[in-house]
Amino acid sequence: MCGIVGAIAGRDVVPVLVEGLKRLEYRGYDSAGLAVIDDGGQVRRVRRTGRVAEMEAAARAEGLAATLGIGHTRWATHGGVTEPNAHPHISHGVALVHNGIIENHEAQRERLTALGYAFESQTDTEVIAHLIHHHLGRGLDLLGALQATTRELEGAYALAAISRDAPDRMVCARMGCPLLIGLGEGENFIASDVSAIVQATRRVIFLEEGDTAEVTREAVRVFDAEGTQTVRREHLSDVSLASLELGPHRHFMQKEIHEQPRALGDTLEAIIDAAGFGPALFGAEAAEVFDGVTGVQILACGTSYYAGLVARYWIEAIADLPCSVEIASEYRYRRAVANPDHLVVTISQSGETLDTMEALKYAKSLGHARTLSICNVPESAIPRASRLVFYTRAGAEIGVASTKAFTTQLVGLFALAATLAKGRGRLTAEDEAAYVESLRHLPGSVQHALNLEPQIAGWAERFASRQHALFLGRGVHYPIALEGALKLKEISYVHAEAYPAGELKHGPLALVDADMPVVVIAPKDSLLEKVKSNMQEVRARGGELFVFTDADSRFGPSEGVHVIRTPRHVGVLSPIVHTIPVQLLAYHTALARGTDVDKPRNLAKSVTVE
Ligand code: HGA
């Protein structure tokens, strides 16, 4: 979703801002803009709907150059995708960019209109620019005006502002949306995501909820929610430039699918090194938090929710603990009954998914004190609000459709199931050794599945001309069918639905005919015979089957039944391996249909609004 970058330096910052905005493109956006204070002390602004490259060309044509500026990629929430709605917004020499939603913008708009301010956009954001200007008029300096403004805002925001009357500084604020400050030599930066500034510096300070800050070339002053000057720890970011670049691949999604053996290997490292499971994998307090846990409540959205559904099978079967999984945006708005002995697990690639964050806050307000986050981005909001964390080590995930984040989340969740089981005396030493051994082989098994790409690409040609598809699975592979259907929808725009295979005859079978391809996840597990019966039901109605199975199933092709086999059954980790073919099927179907794989229409990467 929206992205912010700001820079103050002794050199021209326009190229820094443009490069930062390009690195934020992956988050999904519909317009881009930047504002600078030029040598003549004037605010100059360029905005365009569409790609950053178009905005960059316009900035070049105008000869924009300056040592202070802010930039933004906008994913519209309030007001259409138009140039006047694009950020930065300007009020009498104050330029401002904003991520998030201001909930009391209507009341503020009325008040500011009565004060004589004229509005140029339909956004919620514009009130903030006018409020800062209004408070400057009361004699406050830029930081004071920002602080007075934030006291009047309700909602979520990350803000950065500059003013022609203070050409030696930027100011910024954070509430509910991530924001960080990058520290350079004689130059400093502001960004919503470290990838925006990693080309300039790796030294970063993460702002905390309610913080405001003033950033000059030489100094950074941070103030907490009470307005007291404070010190926030400096971190050295390990985001690699290579993970932000495409390299030889056509798309980030393709790159990230193929990175999975490495991503899984990195995520597994701590388990393999310890040759077993234990609370240490989840943080210093984990032994205490896990002690006496009588159940697990998982909260997540989208693909992460499906990871939670897989985990439910593992947690109940291996750890013998009841586990419920709920969509975060539903949980947060219902009257839920909390059991303080249940562990609340939130799953979010970015660690900033707003619905998941709010669900976590709600769970805590209900009395849940045992909280664990499974997350891919260090120091992001959700792990910081949780007592325990398992960091997946997938590396930056740029493609909007999640791939390596999902499979590495599954590793974290499997480790959780095994650790809880061990703590409860439910894991024998032999089982533990066997699980570690399976995990050790996981990157290799995933590589074997990746090697099936040419066959899967052949199937994708046939899906490209279809309007609909069904995905079936049973047991722990049902969530993989859900994930396969979601991937296909997200990036190829083919309508797809997933069902537990046994549910077919209760309704969806009515949809099956020769035009409805049916994808089945059917590895050699205890449910295979049941799944085979469900496949017969499809064939009997003329449906065409596309079956992903493993060599141990001995399930072969026949008329109307196409089969692709992974080399061997990998036991309890089979859902992870069977994710790879459905990812590849979606990717190649999208390629065949010519859609924008990394930036699917209407979608954004980090979903930081409700
Ligand atoms: N509400 C603002 C910013 C939207 C946003 O943060 N999207 O991720 C707008 O609509 O311009």
Side-chain angles (χ1 to χ4, degrees), residues 93-108:
V94 174
L96 169 103
V97 290
H98 163 224
N99 290 356
I101 290 176
I102 303 305
E103 285 168 3
N104 61 339
H105 70 101
E106 280 165 346
Q108 293 294 358

Side-chain angles (χ1 to χ4, degrees), residues 73 94 251 280 283 449 489 549:
T73 47
V94 174
H251 297 101
K489 280 186 274 214
T549 185

Side-chain angles (χ1 to χ4, degrees), residues 110-306:
E110 264 176 46
R111 172 184 163 212
L112 288 159
T113 306
L115 286 169
Y117 285 95
F119 282 80
E120 293 174 355
S121 78
Q122 292 119 26
T123 62
D124 52 335
T125 302
E126 194 180 348
V127 297
I128 313 172
H130 294 315
L131 280 172
I132 295 175
H133 177 259
H134 167 69
H135 289 298
L136 284 171
R138 293 172 46 230
L140 297 171
D141 68 359
L142 187 57
L143 181 69
L146 177 77
Q147 289 169 333
T149 297
T150 54
R151 285 194 283 274
E152 295 174 340
L153 298 178
E154 287 164 23
Y157 50 80
L159 307 173
I162 54 176
S163 163
R164 72 174 166 222
D165 296 330
D168 61 345
R169 69 197 60 191
M170 316 182 270
V171 292
C172 58
R174 171 201 166 136
M175 177 64 80
C177 297
L179 198 64
L180 56 92
I181 295 169
L183 307 171
E185 296 298 325
E187 53 185 30
N188 286 315
F189 310 90
I190 294 173
S192 53
D193 178 329
V194 72
S195 57
I197 53 166
V198 76
Q199 76 278 12
T201 184
R202 289 182 179 283
R203 293 169 51 214
V204 294
I205 293 173
F206 295 96
L207 293 187
E208 295 192 2
E209 292 296 74
D211 281 358
T212 52
E214 181 186 77
V215 181
T216 65
R217 272 185 63 186
E218 300 298 341
V220 173
R221 292 196 300 150
V222 181
F223 298 82
D224 66 15
E226 275 69 51
T228 309
Q229 190 164 350
T230 185
V231 177
R232 301 284 177 227
R233 202 156 58 87
E234 185 182 319
H235 296 260
L236 207 57
S237 168
D238 64 358
V239 168
S240 77
L241 272 178
S243 71
L244 304 172
E245 269 148 23
L246 204 45
H249 296 89
R250 271 180 84 176
H251 297 101
F252 279 105
M253 185 182 180
Q254 180 197 31
K255 174 177 181 244
E256 289 160 7
I257 289 174
H258 284 273
E259 276 174 356
Q260 285 176 108
R262 195 271 312 144
L264 289 162
D266 287 353
T267 304
L268 286 167
E269 204 177 82
I271 304 167
I272 305 289
D273 285 354
F277 305 95
L281 295 169
F282 301 90
E285 291 181 89
E288 182 196 327
V289 172
F290 289 164
D291 186 41
V293 160
T294 60
V296 178
Q297 169 73 64
I298 298 179
L299 302 170
C301 308
T303 287
S304 299
Y305 169 69
Y306 297 151

Side-chain angles (χ1 to χ4, degrees), residues 1-4 27-31 72-80 85-87 89 97-102 121-126 128 156-158 177 604 606-609:
M1 294 203 153
C2 294
I4 287 176
R27 296 167 64 90
Y29 70 105
D30 43 52
S31 44
H72 192 256
T73 47
R74 173 176 190 245
W75 189 86
T77 65
H78 290 57
N85 286 340
H87 304 208
H89 292 282
V97 290
H98 163 224
N99 290 356
I101 290 176
I102 303 305
S121 78
Q122 292 119 26
T123 62
D124 52 335
T125 302
E126 194 180 348
I128 313 172
Y157 50 80
C177 297
S606 304
V607 187
T608 51
V609 296

Side-chain angles (χ1 to χ4, degrees), residues 367-389:
H368 279 294
R370 303 169 190 259
T371 53
L372 162 68
S373 145
I374 309 264
C375 180
N376 194 38
V377 179
E379 293 298 325
S380 51
I382 295 175
R384 279 150 47 114
S386 309
R387 281 183 75 188
L388 307 182
V389 59

Side-chain angles (χ1 to χ4, degrees), residues 472 474 500-506 509 512 518 530-543 545:
L472 304 179
R474 280 189 99 128
E503 186 66 9
L504 200 59
K505 55 190 174 299
H506 296 287
L509 196 56
V512 170
V518 180
K530 304 279 175 211
V531 176
K532 279 185 183 167
S533 307
N534 302 137
M535 288 195 264
Q536 290 304 328
E537 293 160 11
V538 172
R539 271 311 291 146
R541 274 94 194 156
L545 289 160

